[in-house]
């Protein structure tokens, strides 16, 4: 089974519990879920108005690459 989940956040959520701060992954790409492993840096230069997906090696692809007839509305 394969599941696509949309994430728009490109940075972690800082959470402080008992005086200790942990960083929870907000981008969905961390290999150490639920914690951030820094992989969100791969999302920083995503182009506005595009939808990206990442393969198992965190290689970026755009939805339009797989479905060339999809038009993505600008925000
Ligand atoms: S927020 Fe996902 S890896 Fe950092």
């Amino acid at each position: 089974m394969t599941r696509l989940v949309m994430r728009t956040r490109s940075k972690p959520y800082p959470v402080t519990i008992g005086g200790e701060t942990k960083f929870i992954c907000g981008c969905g790409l961390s290999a150490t879920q639920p914690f951030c492993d820094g992989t969100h840096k791969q999302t920083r230069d995503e182009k506005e108005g595009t939808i990206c997906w990442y393969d198992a090696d965190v290689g970026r692809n755009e939805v339009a690459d797989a479905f060339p007839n999809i038009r993505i509305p600008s925000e």
Side-chain angles (χ1 to χ4, degrees), residues 7 9 11-15 22-27:
R7 300 283 181 105
R9 191 173 173 92
K11 59 184 178 182
Y13 299 95
V15 177
K22 297 284 188 179
F23 294 91
I24 304 301
C25 178
C27 74

Side-chain angles (χ1 to χ4, degrees), residues 11-12 25-30 36-40:
K11 59 184 178 182
C25 178
C27 74
L29 298 175
S30 176
C36 171
D37 69 357
T39 306
H40 62 268

